[in-house]
Amino acid sequence: NAGVTQTPKFQVLKTGQSMTLQCAQDMNHNSMYWYRQDPGMGLRLIYYSASEGTTDKGEVPNGYNVSRLNKREFSLRLESAAPSQTSVYFCASSGDWPYTDTQYFGPGTRLTVL
Amino acid sequence: DAKTTQPTSMDCAEGRAANLPCNHSTISGNEYVYWYRQIHSQGPQYIIHGLKNNETNEMASLIITEDRKSSTLILPHATLRDTAVYYCIVRLGSTGTASKLTFGTGTRLQVTL
């Protein structure tokens, strides 16, 4: 039982390049989330998916797209990376009520955009 | 969700109890108090949550005041591995299938020898 896994662990991009961050969970959770964390800051929600086939914007969605590929996988895409997107990206998942607010997080992807 | 206020940082000697306070004076009657922690560079980890009764699990205890305007997370015997940032989150219990947690900047707990 690996929990929430993320790939890659580290990535360096040049401005304007694109990439996809991958996330998978093996806990049979319906809900999945993408957060970003800038240095010295708390986490901010980018997008979330309440169930397979649905996605919704969080607090900071601009510059990102997501795909809920199936129940296990939720990917985050940067179409044209900018230096402001340098951050640590965390994926999380949670079960249904009454466990919705108990989220399980992956180890993170550290992204640097030059 | 109600706003929370936490001290920026705290120190605790190893083996002693760590008491982390959180103020949530605008909490409403059906809002829960959640605690997460983030050990350096890792993803946040759920610790405990409660509504109005005190709660205890294998990681910590949560004491919520009778008026629910503040709470304290207690790590009974802190170890060096408990050094982390601790987040207090007040959250309306979600009855849907997704939850949008709001993480502030938390309390940085340093456990020392």
Side-chain angles (χ1 to χ4, degrees):
Chain A
N1 189 337
V4 179
T5 57
Q6 293 182 236
T7 56
K9 286 186 169 54
F10 300 93
Q11 184 71 48
V12 179
L13 293 177
K14 294 181 180 178
T15 297
Q17 287 186 317
S18 62
M19 78 161 295
T20 300
L21 283 64
Q22 306 286 355
C23 173
Q25 52 91 9
D26 62 2
M27 294 174 281
N28 200 37
H29 285 164
N30 278 313
S31 300
M32 297 186 73
Y33 312 83
W34 276 106
Y35 293 87
R36 63 176 286 175
Q37 185 174 35
D38 300 330
M41 306 285 287
L43 281 74
R44 291 184 293 170
L45 183 65
I46 305 172
Y47 270 94
Y48 66 99
S49 170
S51 62
E52 184 179 349
T54 68
T55 60
D56 284 288
K57 296 178 180 178
E59 181 185 354
V60 288
N62 291 345
Y64 305 95
N65 286 302
V66 291
S67 295
R68 183 73 182 268
L69 304 170
N70 47 55
K71 191 171 186 177
R72 289 187 65 248
E73 298 171 290
F74 188 36
S75 63
L76 178 72
R77 182 160 178 85
L78 287 71
E79 290 291 351
S80 178
S84 61
Q85 294 178 304
T86 293
S87 191
V88 181
Y89 291 85
F90 291 102
C91 177
S93 70
S94 67
D96 293 335
W97 185 87
Y99 307 107
T100 325
D101 294 317
T102 304
Q103 295 187 11
Y104 296 85
F105 286 80
T109 294
R110 282 144 189 82
L111 174 66
T112 300
V113 182
L114 303 175
Chain B
D1 296 338
K3 180 179 169 57
T4 62
T5 304
Q6 299 178 252
T8 303
S9 63
M10 295 182 64
D11 292 327
C12 178
E14 190 176 36
R16 304 296 293 268
N19 297 283
L20 292 92
C22 180
N23 183 287
H24 32 79
S25 58
T26 62
I27 194 170
S28 64
N30 52 355
E31 286 183 310
Y32 289 75
V33 180
Y34 278 78
W35 284 85
Y36 281 76
R37 73 179 181 183
Q38 186 174 24
I39 296 171
H40 180 60
S41 299
Q42 298 180 20
Q45 176 190 25
Y46 165 81
I47 301 173
I48 198 168
H49 75 280
L51 182 63
K52 53 184 176 182
N53 297 319
N54 298 337
E55 302 287 346
T56 296
N57 63 19
E58 64 278 3
M59 288 183 67
S61 295
L62 174 60
I63 308 297
I64 302 174
T65 58
E66 192 169 344
D67 63 6
R68 302 188 69 242
K69 293 184 185 300
S70 66
S71 61
T72 301
L73 178 74
I74 301 172
L75 309 178
H77 304 286
T79 71
L80 297 177
R81 287 175 292 183
D82 293 321
T83 292
V85 177
Y86 288 77
Y87 298 98
C88 171
I89 301 170
V90 170
R91 178 87 183 113
L92 187 65
S94 174
T95 58
T97 57
S99 163
K100 294 184 282 184
L101 296 179
T102 300
F103 288 82
T105 52
T107 296
R108 183 171 299 276
L109 176 69
Q110 180 70 51
V111 180
T112 57
L113 291 172

